[in-house]
Amino acid sequence: FSLAEALKKLDPDDGEQIMEYFKTHALLSREKALLQASVREQKKLLVENAKLKKDIDQLRGQLQDKQKRRTAKALFSQAPPPQSVSPAHSNPDPASPAGATAAVPPNCPPPSASSGESRDRPGRRRRGEKKARPVSDPLSLGAESRIDASRLDLRVGRILSVRRHPLAEAMSVQEVDVGENAPRTVVSKLGGLQDLDQLQGSLAVFLCNVKVSKMRGVASHGRLLCCCASDVITELLAPPSGSAPGDRITFLSYPGEPDGELSSKQRIWELLLPDLQVDSKGVANYKGCGFEVKGKGLCRAPSLTNCTIR
């Protein structure tokens, strides 16, 4: 006979309760085993994710090294070769015995103009001579090949006015004070920012050294930085309290002066964009280094976390 019948026979009063207790204990043991297996699987996934992240960082470093080598190679190839005059082509001293021996006798006809020009041409190399390697400034070469966030001219700006783009419903046109003599015009895609009245008077972060570009007929002189969880969930990247228009955003681990204008050929902004993130605490960072206004604090997303910056 079954366990339940045996318990009832041994203890008619409490046999059913004991059986229920056994069933409950068995269910709890099963759930505990499933939970332990889930925890082990989660730990395994965390280890694999860490390994993948390390591999991605190594590949990104290799890609940046290749980009630097290509930039250096392009700069070397563009530099003009130095002009040098071979000692064999210098004029002999008439006062020396060698000069007197090499002097042309008066009865001999003068050499033709074409042969003299070809011999005395300063840039002409003799047969067997190696081409001189172009000389370039190592400081300027390092500045051009440096690809990090210090090349971005990021500043705090105040939105003075905002209106909808006359030819594009999904764009807005802002007049922005970034600490210069006159406001800048910036054209931005709205994304999730549909209430334009809320933008007026707000402080935001702007990229100021992008090349001027026309967006549907309106020239844009900068880029408004937003935190984006999706195409419809967007909010402005907020500077720290106490910031003023014109304050520059810097990165402690990446010192240096920004470019006067980002080169469209090098695509600096596109290369840096994947590393511009908002972390789990809502702090904007580049490769873990925060967007900082010196003496005032860090830039943050008002409410979003673990999202991108664009």
Side-chain angles (χ1 to χ4, degrees):
F1 49 79
S2 64
L3 178 61
E5 292 175 352
L7 288 173
K8 286 181 181 180
K9 189 174 180 180
L10 291 173
D11 192 346
D13 297 330
D14 299 330
E16 292 184 0
Q17 293 183 359
I18 294 173
M19 192 62 194
E20 290 295 327
Y21 169 78
F22 282 155
K23 290 181 179 179
T24 304
H25 183 71
L27 290 174
L28 290 175
S29 299
R30 183 180 178 184
E31 290 180 359
K32 182 179 179 181
L34 291 174
L35 182 60
Q36 289 176 346
S38 175
V39 170
R40 286 195 297 270
E41 186 68 23
Q42 186 177 8
K43 289 182 178 179
K44 182 179 178 182
L45 289 175
L46 288 174
V47 172
E48 291 179 353
N49 286 341
K51 184 178 178 181
L52 287 173
K53 185 177 180 181
K54 184 178 179 181
D55 293 341
I56 290 172
D57 290 338
Q58 290 178 351
L59 290 173
R60 185 183 290 117
Q62 293 175 3
L63 180 61
Q64 290 178 351
D65 291 340
K66 289 183 179 178
Q67 179 69 22
K68 291 177 181 179
R69 287 196 293 269
R70 283 198 296 267
T71 304
K73 185 176 180 182
L75 290 173
F76 275 124
S77 62
Q78 292 173 3
Q83 294 183 353
S84 59
V85 179
S86 174
H89 295 157
S90 59
N91 295 328
D93 185 2
S96 64
T101 306
V104 180
N107 296 331
C108 294
S112 62
S114 59
S115 61
E117 289 176 359
S118 63
R119 284 197 305 270
D120 297 336
R121 189 176 300 164
R124 188 178 182 87
R125 286 187 294 114
R126 297 176 63 189
R127 181 174 297 178
E129 287 184 349
K130 293 183 178 180
K131 186 176 181 181
R133 180 171 292 182
V135 179
S136 59
D137 185 2
L139 296 178
S140 63
L141 178 60
E144 288 296 328
S145 60
R146 171 174 50 91
I147 301 178
D148 57 49
S150 66
R151 298 182 66 174
L152 303 178
D153 185 6
L154 296 173
R155 297 186 226 162
V156 176
R158 185 180 299 279
I159 301 175
L160 303 176
S161 66
V162 57
R163 66 183 186 276
R164 200 171 294 277
H165 195 293
L167 300 178
E169 191 71 17
M171 294 183 180
S172 66
V173 182
Q174 303 107 35
E175 297 295 325
V176 182
D177 176 14
V178 289
E180 297 173 334
N181 294 330
R184 289 193 182 203
T185 301
V186 177
V187 181
S188 308
K189 291 185 178 180
L190 293 177
L193 303 172
Q194 297 296 337
D195 191 355
L196 299 184
D197 294 336
Q198 292 183 354
L199 299 182
Q200 188 163 340
S202 301
L203 287 176
V205 177
F206 292 87
L207 178 62
C208 296
N209 60 342
V210 290
K211 189 176 181 180
V212 179
S213 61
K214 279 197 173 183
M215 302 182 69
R216 300 296 295 273
V218 179
S220 179
H221 297 261
R223 186 184 185 98
L224 172 65
L225 267 60
C226 295
C227 310
C228 305
S230 68
D231 290 338
V232 295
I233 303 177
T234 304
E235 57 189 22
L236 297 183
L237 179 60
S241 59
S243 299
D247 286 348
R248 191 182 161 212
I249 287 89
T250 57
F251 303 86
L252 183 61
S253 301
Y254 301 93
E257 291 300 317
D259 294 11
E261 181 180 284
L262 293 177
S263 171
S264 57
K265 292 183 179 180
Q266 292 184 348
R267 300 177 65 83
I268 302 299
W269 171 250
E270 288 77 6
L271 290 173
L272 299 179
L273 195 57
D275 293 314
L276 303 179
Q277 305 281 339
V278 175
D279 63 17
S280 59
K281 297 181 180 179
V283 177
N285 68 86
Y286 167 74
K287 291 186 176 181
C289 186
F291 286 50
E292 181 182 7
V293 178
K294 287 187 178 179
K296 298 178 181 178
L298 300 172
C299 300
R300 298 175 178 271
S303 63
L304 297 176
T305 56
N306 297 320
C307 62
T308 60
I309 297 173
R310 64 185 185 190

